[in-house]
Amino acid sequence: MRQIWITKAGTPDVLVVKESLDPEPQTGEVRIRVAASGVNFADVMGRMGLYPDLPRIPVVPGYEVGGRVDAVGDGVDTSWIGREVLALTRFGGYSDTVCVAENQVFLRPAGMSASDAAAIPVNYLTAWQLVVVMGGLKRDETVLVHSAGGGVGIAATQIAKHIGARVIGTASVAKHTALRSLGVDHLIDYRTEDFEKRAREITNGRGVELVLDAVGGDSLKKGYRLLAPTGRLGMFGMSSAAPQKTRSMLEILSTLAGTPWLQFNPISLMNANKGVFGVNLGHMWGQVDRMRIWADQLLELWAQGVIKPKIAQSFRFDEAADAHNFIQDRKNIGKVILTP
Ligand SMILES: NC(=O)c1ccc[n+]([C@@H]2O[C@H](COP(=O)([O-])OP(=O)(O)OC[C@H]3O[C@@H](n4cnc5c(N)ncnc54)[C@H](OP(=O)(O)O)[C@@H]3O)[C@@H](O)[C@H]2O)c1
């Protein structure tokens, strides 16, 4: 098999394709011949040595794949063989062949491409947990989606619009036209505008009912202030700690210094009628049965045409460095995919 390894922490060129023997599925596992692997910002942070959950480098990253099952281990129904699937992988997804536990594998609905299959698991499960499960977004409410042009941002927008909510998105200005056509009602260029001020203007001073923030640091303070009574702030990342292509202690410290460690205390939350919550899909491995229920709901919505991943660009395995550069140069509108 061919796999993309993070050979050491650093710039995108530390990603190297290596060959090794095909893995054999163990008890309870299926083996998938991968046609598409999803790239996530967590992989980028892992490559920079900024992702504590990543196993020790050298490592093959990757949380999700689309492909076809070609073998099963003991105890697994042989009818999986030949089926087109999508799967969550606990690392190792940047491979043309992976073995994963049967309960992390889902049948692909008829007509779903391998790229769509690789684009759905992480982005849409995260968005579902943020918007529906914990964010409890309702019709006619307003949600502020940061990084609206990323994979999670587009997924969250599609889910929010399906609910009947209004979406305010922050994104680089070059992405605004495309994001408008993808359903974002109001766009803010967070680089030139103060998103808190603009969102307040857009909502006539009322604020918003839900904020989805993976930027972290100072952005959380503003998002919290922006919440209307009963509003919720969903925190799920820290991209502001990674503005460059290698780890910078200064940027990490600056993000940590801006983080509102003390603002969200029980008294202020009660008195303001606000809620804060955190999401880390990578810490949900003990809850796979719940994630399966969410995934079934999402696949049903895909079949109905309600959700549809936007593929920004596909790169070959030997172009993995270009794929990471593409994201870090903030060129992607939607999901970045790797194909063997
Ligand atoms: N907690 C979880 O379970 C979980 C799961 C998935 C993702 N996440 C987090 O959610 C965020 C978005 O993930 P994603 O997969 O949707 O991202 P993505 O598709 O890779 O897109 C990232 C987008 O974020 C914006 N951005 C903000 N800061 C950036 C930076 N320092 N470098 C590059 N781009 C930056 C860029 O848009 P602009 O050009 O508009 O700035 C870019 O298009 C990330 O922080 C990720 O770690 C968390």
Side-chain angles (χ1 to χ4, degrees):
M1 68 173 162
R2 292 168 70 242
Q3 299 179 298
I4 301 165
W5 286 79
I6 300 175
T7 52
K8 59 181 178 184
T11 50
D13 56 4
V14 301
L15 297 170
V16 174
V17 178
K18 295 185 185 181
E19 286 194 28
S20 59
L21 290 176
D22 283 353
E24 291 301 324
Q26 304 299 301
T27 301
E29 288 184 343
V30 308
R31 185 171 69 187
I32 301 169
R33 297 296 179 182
V34 173
S37 305
V39 179
N40 286 288
F41 202 77
D43 311 334
V44 169
M45 294 191 81
R47 191 210 73 227
M48 294 167 69
L50 274 176
Y51 202 68
D53 292 342
L54 187 75
R56 242 180 130 77
I57 294 172
V59 67
V60 179
Y63 281 111
E64 54 194 349
V65 296
R68 186 188 294 268
V69 174
D70 82 329
V72 297
D74 286 344
V76 178
D77 189 342
T78 52
S79 69
W80 276 111
I81 295 173
R83 295 284 182 87
E84 295 201 312
V85 296
L86 52 99
L88 282 162
T89 54
R90 197 171 185 175
F91 307 105
Y94 284 21
S95 308
D96 68 11
T97 309
V98 285
C99 293
V100 291
E102 185 184 18
N103 70 349
Q104 290 164 220
V105 184
F106 303 84
L107 275 182
R108 254 152 71 183
M112 180 184 278
S113 69
S115 294
D116 271 17
I120 286 178
V122 173
N123 287 168
Y124 281 84
L125 285 170
T126 303
W128 192 259
Q129 188 174 342
L130 285 162
V131 175
V132 176
V133 180
M134 297 181 78
L137 188 67
K138 288 162 210 65
R139 189 179 180 78
D140 295 330
E141 287 191 334
T142 302
V143 54
L144 175 74
V145 179
H146 283 293
S147 305
V152 176
I154 289 174
T157 296
Q158 291 176 354
I159 294 166
K161 294 309 292 178
H162 177 57
I163 289 169
R166 179 161 68 146
V167 177
I168 302 174
T170 71
S172 298
V173 72
K175 302 178 182 179
H176 286 197
T177 306
L179 292 178
R180 226 168 254 122
S181 71
L182 288 170
V184 180
D185 298 291
H186 303 274
L187 278 145
I188 301 174
D189 176 7
Y190 66 96
R191 295 195 211 193
T192 57
E193 300 176 290
D194 178 342
F195 79 79
E196 182 186 359
K197 187 163 164 275
R198 271 296 293 138
R200 208 171 280 291
E201 284 165 9
I202 291 165
T203 57
N204 296 321
R206 175 179 161 72
V208 303
E209 281 78 20
L210 183 63
V211 173
L212 307 183
D213 191 314
V215 177
D218 196 39
S219 174
L220 298 173
K221 282 183 197 155
K222 294 179 167 204
Y224 182 74
R225 286 200 295 260
L226 192 53
L227 294 177
T230 75
R232 294 83 63 193
L233 168 62
M235 303 172 291
F236 67 111
M238 267 202 189
S239 60
S240 60
Q244 293 154 17
K245 292 184 182 169
T246 51
R247 192 165 77 161
S248 152
M249 229 34 226
L250 200 66
E251 302 291 354
I252 297 169
L253 290 174
S254 151
T255 296
L256 293 177
T259 302
W261 300 105
L262 299 174
Q263 273 88 344
F264 311 149
N265 62 65
I267 307 289
S268 73
L269 288 167
M270 280 191 282
N271 289 345
N273 287 292
K274 294 182 180 183
V276 290
F277 64 92
V279 164
N280 187 342
L281 199 70
H283 289 200
M284 289 289 286
W285 291 107
Q287 305 280 321
V288 173
D289 288 349
R290 291 188 71 200
M291 288 203 283
R292 287 198 72 87
I293 295 170
W294 306 344
D296 287 343
Q297 291 169 302
L298 285 163
L299 293 176
E300 179 57 35
L301 289 176
W302 181 89
Q304 293 167 11
V306 172
I307 61 163
K308 171 84 186 126
K310 164 119 180 66
I311 308 299
Q313 197 160 322
S314 294
F315 295 84
R316 293 190 317 265
F317 271 21
D318 59 1
E319 300 169 329
D322 298 336
H324 277 215
N325 276 317
F326 187 67
I327 289 175
Q328 293 199 274
D329 293 338
R330 298 173 192 246
K331 290 184 179 156
N332 65 310
I333 302 176
K335 188 73 180 178
V336 174
I337 294 290
L338 293 164
T339 56

